[in-house]
Amino acid sequence: MSASTERVASSGGSSEEEHLRAEIYRLQQQVHELSRPKPAEDSVAAPEKSGYLFKWQDRSIGWGGTKWGLRYVRLENGRLSYYRTHEERSPRYVLTLKDCAVRDDGSKVNRRRNVNKKPSSEDASDMEVGSHFYVFSVYQPSSKIKKTEVNIFGEDDVKYKYEDEIIPLLRFSTQSQAEKNQWIELISQSCAFCDSEEFDRQSSANQKDERETKSHEGHGRNKGGTLSKLVFEEVEPRSIARKPSGFKLKEMGENFRTKTKDEKAARSNNIQYPPSKPMHRQSSPSYLSKESAHNQNYRGFFNLGMIVLVVSNYRLLIEAVRKHGFIWNELTKLNHDYMKASLSDKLFLFPFVSGISFVQIIIFQTYVIETLLGRHIVCERLGMILHFVNTNLSLGVVCAIVWHLIDSPFVGAGLVMQATVTWLKLISYVHANQDYRLTNSHGTTLAMVKDLDDEDARVRYPENVTLGDIYYFWFAPTLTYQIAFPRVPFVRWSRVLVLTFQLFLSTTLAAFLAMQVVKPNLENLVMDLEENSGEVRTSVIGEYILKLSITVTYIWLLGFFAFFHCFMNICAETLRFGDRVFYRDWWNATEVSAYWRLWNMPVHYWLVRHVYFPSIRIGMSKGGATFMVFLFSAVMHEVLISVPCHMIKVHSFLAMMAQLPLILMTKWIDRRYRGSSVGNIIFWISFCFVGQPMAMVMYTIDYWEARTDAVGGGVAFEDGE
């Protein structure tokens, strides 16, 4: 079965145009390969092949579980690379096949094709093309494997001795068994070629080109479940003529002047443009129609939208200042009261400092326990029990400190957030090092990571267990530990200064909007509750949701930009941390599940590695594992809000779990109306204009009720709460 036919069979939503382009390109590749002269028998040449295969996406979670994505794969010069389509110039990933091998992973039933088959036709369907997916993987053999054992696995019932230690670097499938066999044969030959002297000579000669075409996986490209691109064309640059020294305008200008000999040339308007000359010469759609061949440029509309947005929101801000006063007066008063406060009143920061110090103790104890395990001083079972107790203390003790000793919700939220991040990091640190210790998989990790420092490329477990390594991981903008991270050559301090300035501006503006608009509206909500004896009316709730929706959206976007772009890039730049894809284009999400996959990549990677796949390994289905991911995320969202506010409510938990039916609905809309903006509009309304303002109003009411019950009467918010 052809690669293009596989593409249509696997994704029914693919357009006919893409099908034809893929088929034309496949035929062109076959003609090119047939016309290529064969090398001499005594020469050493790397095999080459290209075509569409299904790639296993091991860093993505969809509602249906792990997905196979159709990718264009190219094998040449001992390197295996893949692209999203054959039209892309830069590969998503490039794997050098040196010290690698290929494995036949057998086949799996194409359930989508066979789901409607009758029982009587099952035996016949097994023989049909497209009834199975034939899988193979490229991996790095374990250090325990002898070179004589590295072969094409799956033939002659060869049982692999170290099967459990194999971690695929890349995994592909196809609906043609002959196609799979050909790929396996050529990849194995390429692996052998990589051990030859010819490959070493080519590698040294092409080192510069390889750096220019290195992997930029997923960065800046559209993902499934996102909107197509909105085009903003750039103004064509004007070519500037360089004038040599001693330039004489009159002399050189003569070469650009001519004179016509046609005396009637001046009357060309009368001759060439008569009144009957046709203005409509072909059938063409309107410029803004979908059928238009023009690449529409909406930059003017974008500029108009920005002007309307600035003017309208400036009017709302002026109205808020006139109604509630300017925030500067209140900030001056708060600073004056703080300076006059006694030392005992300022000791409220002591629990916060104590919590931070306790977290540092936990990190040091994690290093000590891992050192004991790496040197085999304690047994595996005892060491993992110590890790379990120590890691969970980092979150449990801090939550107790916040619950009993810190009254301010904002101070408590900062401490709980920091402890939660540390807890997630330590879980990843413990699990990853256990895998390195038991399976000796650090070689596989290093083979998959590019842009390593020289010393990092040679590190082995337990050499990585150092105090500097664990603290580098603690400061690094990631939640998933690995033995070595991609690094950039040097720190760009000018970039750090620019990001720091952007961080200051975005956080200042967010704080200004919160104090100038959000806080007065929440105080008015409390006053309404006191006047109505705590009675909550639907009309009042709806009114305050509308008042807060726009401002809360601005604050959320500013907070996202400040943290995920500015702060995390500052950390990455100062630490020379290379992988800076902290988010993707979540704002184009046409389904809710795409938003959760794209907006917070560090958390997404952590959930994939430490929740989703562990659930799969214990026997859960893909749907059950995805449900566990949402359940864990819902519980953590509730902890981050309820503990600092000193009240156990389930608004955040229920809001997270309620997104499961919303995910199904938006997925159905995205499949039914491919390319439409309906799902994206539902996402923005549900998250920014309903969800977050409603959560803020509901938690304000609950917090007011909790404070009222604590003092035995109606009270308003105190300053700073």
Side-chain angles (χ1 to χ4, degrees), residues 104-149:
D104 187 343
D105 289 338
S107 64
K108 58 182 296 187
V109 177
N110 186 353
R111 296 182 180 178
R112 294 185 179 180
R113 180 183 179 90
N114 298 332
V115 66
N116 296 323
K117 292 287 185 179
K118 296 181 180 179
S120 59
S121 61
E122 286 182 356
D123 296 336
S125 65
D126 289 344
M127 304 300 295
E128 294 178 1
V129 176
S131 62
H132 286 72
F133 286 100
Y134 300 92
V135 187
F136 64 97
S137 57
V138 181
Y139 68 98
Q140 186 180 50
S142 172
S143 58
K144 300 178 181 179
I145 302 176
K146 300 178 181 178
K147 287 210 169 184
T148 56
E149 295 178 337

Short mmCIF file of all heavy atoms in Angstrom, two decimals, residues 104-149:
data_model
loop_
_atom_site.label_atom_id
_atom_site.label_comp_id
_atom_site.label_asym_id
_atom_site.label_seq_id
_atom_site.Cartn_x
_atom_site.Cartn_y
_atom_site.Cartn_z
N ASP A 104 12.52 -5.17 14.71
CA ASP A 104 11.18 -5.45 14.20
C ASP A 104 10.26 -5.66 15.39
O ASP A 104 10.41 -6.62 16.14
CB ASP A 104 11.23 -6.70 13.31
CG ASP A 104 9.90 -6.95 12.61
OD1 ASP A 104 8.88 -6.38 13.04
OD2 ASP A 104 9.89 -7.73 11.64
N ASP A 105 9.30 -4.78 15.58
CA ASP A 105 8.38 -4.86 16.71
C ASP A 105 7.09 -5.59 16.38
O ASP A 105 6.11 -5.50 17.14
CB ASP A 105 8.04 -3.45 17.21
CG ASP A 105 9.21 -2.81 17.91
OD1 ASP A 105 10.10 -3.55 18.37
OD2 ASP A 105 9.26 -1.56 18.01
N GLY A 106 7.03 -6.29 15.26
CA GLY A 106 5.84 -7.05 14.93
C GLY A 106 4.76 -6.20 14.32
O GLY A 106 5.02 -5.22 13.62
N SER A 107 3.51 -6.55 14.59
CA SER A 107 2.38 -5.84 14.00
C SER A 107 1.28 -5.68 15.03
O SER A 107 1.24 -6.37 16.04
CB SER A 107 1.85 -6.59 12.78
OG SER A 107 1.34 -7.86 13.17
N LYS A 108 0.39 -4.73 14.77
CA LYS A 108 -0.79 -4.51 15.60
C LYS A 108 -1.99 -4.35 14.69
O LYS A 108 -1.89 -3.85 13.56
CB LYS A 108 -0.61 -3.28 16.48
CG LYS A 108 -0.34 -2.00 15.73
CD LYS A 108 -0.13 -0.83 16.67
CE LYS A 108 -1.37 -0.53 17.46
NZ LYS A 108 -1.23 0.71 18.27
N VAL A 109 -3.14 -4.76 15.19
CA VAL A 109 -4.36 -4.73 14.39
C VAL A 109 -4.83 -3.30 14.20
O VAL A 109 -4.80 -2.49 15.14
CB VAL A 109 -5.47 -5.57 15.06
CG1 VAL A 109 -6.77 -5.49 14.26
CG2 VAL A 109 -5.02 -7.02 15.19
N ASN A 110 -5.23 -2.97 13.00
CA ASN A 110 -5.82 -1.67 12.71
C ASN A 110 -7.28 -1.71 13.14
O ASN A 110 -8.17 -2.11 12.38
CB ASN A 110 -5.70 -1.36 11.21
CG ASN A 110 -6.18 0.05 10.88
OD1 ASN A 110 -6.71 0.76 11.73
ND2 ASN A 110 -5.99 0.45 9.63
N ARG A 111 -7.54 -1.30 14.38
CA ARG A 111 -8.88 -1.42 14.93
C ARG A 111 -9.88 -0.52 14.23
O ARG A 111 -11.07 -0.83 14.15
CB ARG A 111 -8.84 -1.11 16.43
CG ARG A 111 -8.01 -2.11 17.22
CD ARG A 111 -8.03 -1.79 18.70
NE ARG A 111 -7.23 -2.76 19.44
CZ ARG A 111 -7.04 -2.70 20.77
NH1 ARG A 111 -7.58 -1.71 21.46
NH2 ARG A 111 -6.32 -3.61 21.36
N ARG A 112 -9.43 0.62 13.76
CA ARG A 112 -10.36 1.50 13.06
C ARG A 112 -10.86 0.88 11.77
O ARG A 112 -11.98 1.12 11.34
CB ARG A 112 -9.67 2.83 12.76
CG ARG A 112 -9.33 3.64 14.01
CD ARG A 112 -8.77 4.98 13.64
NE ARG A 112 -8.47 5.77 14.83
CZ ARG A 112 -7.97 7.00 14.80
NH1 ARG A 112 -7.72 7.58 13.64
NH2 ARG A 112 -7.72 7.66 15.92
N ARG A 113 -10.02 0.07 11.15
CA ARG A 113 -10.43 -0.56 9.89
C ARG A 113 -11.30 -1.78 10.14
O ARG A 113 -12.25 -2.04 9.42
CB ARG A 113 -9.19 -0.96 9.08
CG ARG A 113 -9.51 -1.62 7.75
CD ARG A 113 -8.24 -2.04 7.05
NE ARG A 113 -8.52 -2.69 5.79
CZ ARG A 113 -8.62 -2.06 4.63
NH1 ARG A 113 -8.48 -0.75 4.59
NH2 ARG A 113 -8.87 -2.72 3.52
N ASN A 114 -10.98 -2.51 11.25
CA ASN A 114 -11.64 -3.78 11.50
C ASN A 114 -12.80 -3.69 12.47
O ASN A 114 -13.38 -4.71 12.82
CB ASN A 114 -10.62 -4.80 12.04
CG ASN A 114 -9.51 -5.07 11.03
OD1 ASN A 114 -9.73 -4.96 9.84
ND2 ASN A 114 -8.34 -5.42 11.52
N VAL A 115 -13.11 -2.47 12.95
CA VAL A 115 -14.13 -2.38 13.99
C VAL A 115 -15.50 -2.78 13.48
O VAL A 115 -16.34 -3.28 14.22
CB VAL A 115 -14.16 -0.93 14.56
CG1 VAL A 115 -14.63 0.05 13.50
CG2 VAL A 115 -15.04 -0.86 15.79
N ASN A 116 -15.77 -2.59 12.18
CA ASN A 116 -17.08 -2.91 11.62
C ASN A 116 -17.10 -4.25 10.89
O ASN A 116 -18.09 -4.57 10.23
CB ASN A 116 -17.52 -1.81 10.64
CG ASN A 116 -17.71 -0.48 11.35
OD1 ASN A 116 -18.18 -0.45 12.49
ND2 ASN A 116 -17.35 0.61 10.68
N LYS A 117 -16.01 -5.00 10.98
CA LYS A 117 -15.96 -6.29 10.29
C LYS A 117 -16.82 -7.32 11.02
O LYS A 117 -16.89 -7.34 12.25
CB LYS A 117 -14.51 -6.80 10.22
CG LYS A 117 -13.60 -5.95 9.31
CD LYS A 117 -13.92 -6.18 7.86
CE LYS A 117 -12.93 -5.42 6.98
NZ LYS A 117 -13.21 -5.65 5.55
N LYS A 118 -17.44 -8.18 10.29
CA LYS A 118 -18.23 -9.24 10.89
C LYS A 118 -17.31 -10.36 11.36
O LYS A 118 -16.24 -10.57 10.81
CB LYS A 118 -19.23 -9.78 9.86
CG LYS A 118 -20.25 -8.72 9.43
CD LYS A 118 -21.22 -9.31 8.43
CE LYS A 118 -22.25 -8.25 8.01
NZ LYS A 118 -23.20 -8.80 7.01
N PRO A 119 -17.74 -11.13 12.37
CA PRO A 119 -16.88 -12.21 12.87
C PRO A 119 -16.51 -13.21 11.79
O PRO A 119 -15.43 -13.76 11.79
CB PRO A 119 -17.73 -12.85 13.97
CG PRO A 119 -18.68 -11.76 14.40
CD PRO A 119 -18.96 -10.96 13.17
N SER A 120 -17.39 -13.43 10.84
CA SER A 120 -17.10 -14.43 9.82
C SER A 120 -16.00 -14.01 8.87
O SER A 120 -15.40 -14.83 8.19
CB SER A 120 -18.37 -14.72 9.00
OG SER A 120 -18.83 -13.52 8.39
N SER A 121 -15.75 -12.71 8.81
CA SER A 121 -14.74 -12.22 7.87
C SER A 121 -13.44 -11.84 8.56
O SER A 121 -12.61 -11.20 7.96
CB SER A 121 -15.29 -10.99 7.13
OG SER A 121 -15.57 -9.97 8.05
N GLU A 122 -13.27 -12.20 9.83
CA GLU A 122 -12.06 -11.79 10.55
C GLU A 122 -10.83 -12.44 9.95
O GLU A 122 -9.79 -11.80 9.78
CB GLU A 122 -12.19 -12.15 12.02
CG GLU A 122 -13.13 -11.24 12.78
CD GLU A 122 -13.20 -11.59 14.25
OE1 GLU A 122 -12.56 -12.58 14.64
OE2 GLU A 122 -13.89 -10.87 14.98
N ASP A 123 -10.93 -13.72 9.61
CA ASP A 123 -9.76 -14.39 9.07
C ASP A 123 -9.36 -13.79 7.73
O ASP A 123 -8.18 -13.63 7.42
CB ASP A 123 -10.05 -15.89 8.92
CG ASP A 123 -10.28 -16.54 10.27
OD1 ASP A 123 -9.79 -15.97 11.28
OD2 ASP A 123 -10.94 -17.58 10.30
N ALA A 124 -10.35 -13.43 6.93
CA ALA A 124 -10.05 -12.84 5.63
C ALA A 124 -9.48 -11.45 5.78
O ALA A 124 -8.59 -11.04 5.03
CB ALA A 124 -11.31 -12.80 4.77
N SER A 125 -9.98 -10.70 6.77
CA SER A 125 -9.50 -9.33 6.94
C SER A 125 -8.07 -9.28 7.40
O SER A 125 -7.37 -8.30 7.16
CB SER A 125 -10.39 -8.57 7.94
OG SER A 125 -10.27 -9.16 9.22
N ASP A 126 -7.60 -10.33 8.07
CA ASP A 126 -6.21 -10.34 8.52
C ASP A 126 -5.24 -10.35 7.34
O ASP A 126 -4.09 -9.94 7.48
CB ASP A 126 -5.95 -11.57 9.40
CG ASP A 126 -6.66 -11.42 10.74
OD1 ASP A 126 -7.05 -10.28 11.07
OD2 ASP A 126 -6.83 -12.45 11.42
N MET A 127 -5.69 -10.83 6.18
CA MET A 127 -4.82 -10.90 5.02
C MET A 127 -4.91 -9.65 4.16
O MET A 127 -4.15 -9.51 3.21
CB MET A 127 -5.20 -12.13 4.17
CG MET A 127 -5.16 -13.44 4.94
SD MET A 127 -3.51 -13.78 5.62
CE MET A 127 -2.58 -13.96 4.11
N GLU A 128 -5.83 -8.74 4.44
CA GLU A 128 -6.00 -7.56 3.63
C GLU A 128 -4.94 -6.51 3.96
O GLU A 128 -4.52 -6.38 5.11
CB GLU A 128 -7.39 -6.96 3.85
CG GLU A 128 -8.51 -7.84 3.35
CD GLU A 128 -9.87 -7.22 3.62
OE1 GLU A 128 -9.88 -6.09 4.19
OE2 GLU A 128 -10.88 -7.83 3.29
N VAL A 129 -4.56 -5.77 2.93
CA VAL A 129 -3.62 -4.67 3.13
C VAL A 129 -4.33 -3.57 3.91
O VAL A 129 -5.44 -3.17 3.57
CB VAL A 129 -3.12 -4.13 1.78
CG1 VAL A 129 -2.23 -2.92 2.00
CG2 VAL A 129 -2.39 -5.21 1.01
N GLY A 130 -3.69 -3.09 4.95
CA GLY A 130 -4.28 -2.06 5.79
C GLY A 130 -4.95 -2.61 7.02
O GLY A 130 -5.40 -1.83 7.87
N SER A 131 -5.04 -3.92 7.16
CA SER A 131 -5.68 -4.50 8.34
C SER A 131 -4.76 -4.48 9.55
O SER A 131 -5.22 -4.65 10.67
CB SER A 131 -6.12 -5.93 8.05
OG SER A 131 -4.99 -6.75 7.75
N HIS A 132 -3.44 -4.29 9.34
CA HIS A 132 -2.48 -4.26 10.44
C HIS A 132 -1.52 -3.09 10.25
O HIS A 132 -1.33 -2.59 9.14
CB HIS A 132 -1.67 -5.57 10.49
CG HIS A 132 -2.45 -6.74 11.00
ND1 HIS A 132 -3.45 -7.35 10.25
CD2 HIS A 132 -2.38 -7.41 12.19
CE1 HIS A 132 -3.95 -8.35 10.96
NE2 HIS A 132 -3.34 -8.40 12.12
N PHE A 133 -0.93 -2.68 11.35
CA PHE A 133 0.19 -1.74 11.34
C PHE A 133 1.45 -2.53 11.69
O PHE A 133 1.49 -3.21 12.72
CB PHE A 133 -0.02 -0.60 12.35
CG PHE A 133 -1.03 0.41 11.93
CD1 PHE A 133 -2.31 0.36 12.43
CD2 PHE A 133 -0.71 1.40 11.03
CE1 PHE A 133 -3.26 1.28 12.05
CE2 PHE A 133 -1.64 2.33 10.63
CZ PHE A 133 -2.94 2.26 11.14
N TYR A 134 2.47 -2.44 10.85
CA TYR A 134 3.72 -3.17 11.05
C TYR A 134 4.74 -2.20 11.64
O TYR A 134 5.07 -1.19 11.04
CB TYR A 134 4.20 -3.77 9.74
CG TYR A 134 3.20 -4.74 9.15
CD1 TYR A 134 2.23 -4.30 8.25
CD2 TYR A 134 3.20 -6.07 9.53
CE1 TYR A 134 1.30 -5.19 7.72
CE2 TYR A 134 2.27 -6.97 9.01
CZ TYR A 134 1.32 -6.52 8.11
OH TYR A 134 0.40 -7.38 7.61
N VAL A 135 5.22 -2.51 12.83
CA VAL A 135 5.98 -1.57 13.67
C VAL A 135 7.44 -1.98 13.73
O VAL A 135 7.77 -3.18 13.79
CB VAL A 135 5.39 -1.52 15.09
CG1 VAL A 135 6.06 -0.43 15.92
CG2 VAL A 135 3.88 -1.29 15.04
N PHE A 136 8.32 -1.00 13.70
CA PHE A 136 9.75 -1.22 13.95
C PHE A 136 10.30 0.00 14.67
O PHE A 136 9.72 1.08 14.63
CB PHE A 136 10.53 -1.48 12.65
CG PHE A 136 10.54 -0.32 11.70
CD1 PHE A 136 11.60 0.56 11.66
CD2 PHE A 136 9.49 -0.11 10.82
CE1 PHE A 136 11.63 1.63 10.78
CE2 PHE A 136 9.50 0.95 9.94
CZ PHE A 136 10.57 1.82 9.92
N SER A 137 11.41 -0.20 15.35
CA SER A 137 11.98 0.87 16.18
C SER A 137 13.49 0.89 16.03
O SER A 137 14.13 -0.13 15.76
CB SER A 137 11.59 0.69 17.65
OG SER A 137 12.01 -0.57 18.13
N VAL A 138 14.05 2.07 16.22
CA VAL A 138 15.49 2.28 16.23
C VAL A 138 15.90 2.56 17.67
O VAL A 138 15.27 3.38 18.35
CB VAL A 138 15.89 3.46 15.32
CG1 VAL A 138 17.38 3.66 15.32
CG2 VAL A 138 15.38 3.23 13.90
N TYR A 139 16.92 1.90 18.13
CA TYR A 139 17.30 2.01 19.54
C TYR A 139 18.82 1.93 19.66
O TYR A 139 19.54 1.62 18.70
CB TYR A 139 16.66 0.89 20.36
CG TYR A 139 17.19 -0.48 20.04
CD1 TYR A 139 18.17 -1.06 20.85
CD2 TYR A 139 16.77 -1.20 18.92
CE1 TYR A 139 18.69 -2.31 20.56
CE2 TYR A 139 17.28 -2.43 18.63
CZ TYR A 139 18.24 -2.99 19.44
OH TYR A 139 18.76 -4.22 19.15
N GLN A 140 19.29 2.21 20.86
CA GLN A 140 20.71 2.06 21.17
C GLN A 140 20.88 0.83 22.04
O GLN A 140 20.26 0.76 23.11
CB GLN A 140 21.26 3.29 21.88
CG GLN A 140 22.76 3.23 22.10
CD GLN A 140 23.28 4.45 22.81
OE1 GLN A 140 22.74 4.82 23.84
NE2 GLN A 140 24.31 5.07 22.27
N PRO A 141 21.66 -0.14 21.61
CA PRO A 141 21.80 -1.36 22.41
C PRO A 141 22.40 -1.08 23.77
O PRO A 141 23.16 -0.13 23.96
CB PRO A 141 22.74 -2.23 21.56
CG PRO A 141 22.65 -1.66 20.18
CD PRO A 141 22.41 -0.21 20.36
N SER A 142 22.01 -1.89 24.74
CA SER A 142 22.56 -1.76 26.08
C SER A 142 24.05 -2.10 26.07
O SER A 142 24.54 -2.82 25.21
CB SER A 142 21.81 -2.69 27.04
OG SER A 142 22.45 -2.72 28.30
N SER A 143 24.74 -1.57 27.06
CA SER A 143 26.17 -1.85 27.15
C SER A 143 26.44 -3.33 27.45
O SER A 143 27.54 -3.81 27.24
CB SER A 143 26.79 -0.99 28.26
OG SER A 143 26.15 -1.23 29.49
N LYS A 144 25.41 -4.06 27.90
CA LYS A 144 25.59 -5.48 28.19
C LYS A 144 25.49 -6.35 26.94
O LYS A 144 25.85 -7.51 26.95
CB LYS A 144 24.51 -5.94 29.19
CG LYS A 144 24.55 -5.20 30.51
CD LYS A 144 23.42 -5.67 31.40
CE LYS A 144 23.39 -4.93 32.72
NZ LYS A 144 22.29 -5.38 33.58
N ILE A 145 24.97 -5.76 25.82
CA ILE A 145 24.72 -6.54 24.63
C ILE A 145 26.00 -6.68 23.81
O ILE A 145 26.69 -5.70 23.55
CB ILE A 145 23.63 -5.88 23.78
CG1 ILE A 145 22.35 -5.74 24.61
CG2 ILE A 145 23.35 -6.67 22.52
CD1 ILE A 145 21.25 -5.01 23.90
N LYS A 146 26.27 -7.86 23.40
CA LYS A 146 27.42 -8.08 22.54
C LYS A 146 27.07 -7.71 21.10
O LYS A 146 25.93 -7.80 20.68
CB LYS A 146 27.84 -9.56 22.60
CG LYS A 146 28.23 -10.01 23.99
CD LYS A 146 28.58 -11.48 24.00
CE LYS A 146 28.95 -11.96 25.40
NZ LYS A 146 29.25 -13.39 25.42
N LYS A 147 28.07 -7.31 20.35
CA LYS A 147 27.79 -6.87 18.98
C LYS A 147 27.28 -8.02 18.12
O LYS A 147 26.55 -7.81 17.16
CB LYS A 147 29.05 -6.28 18.35
CG LYS A 147 29.40 -4.92 18.91
CD LYS A 147 30.10 -4.08 17.87
CE LYS A 147 30.21 -2.64 18.36
NZ LYS A 147 30.79 -1.77 17.33
N THR A 148 27.64 -9.25 18.46
CA THR A 148 27.14 -10.37 17.67
C THR A 148 25.66 -10.59 17.89
O THR A 148 25.01 -11.25 17.10
CB THR A 148 27.93 -11.64 18.05
OG1 THR A 148 27.81 -11.84 19.46
CG2 THR A 148 29.39 -11.50 17.68
N GLU A 149 25.12 -10.05 19.00
CA GLU A 149 23.70 -10.23 19.29
C GLU A 149 22.84 -9.17 18.63
O GLU A 149 21.62 -9.29 18.59
CB GLU A 149 23.47 -10.20 20.80
CG GLU A 149 24.11 -11.36 21.53
CD GLU A 149 23.87 -11.25 23.03
OE1 GLU A 149 23.64 -10.12 23.49
OE2 GLU A 149 23.90 -12.27 23.70
#
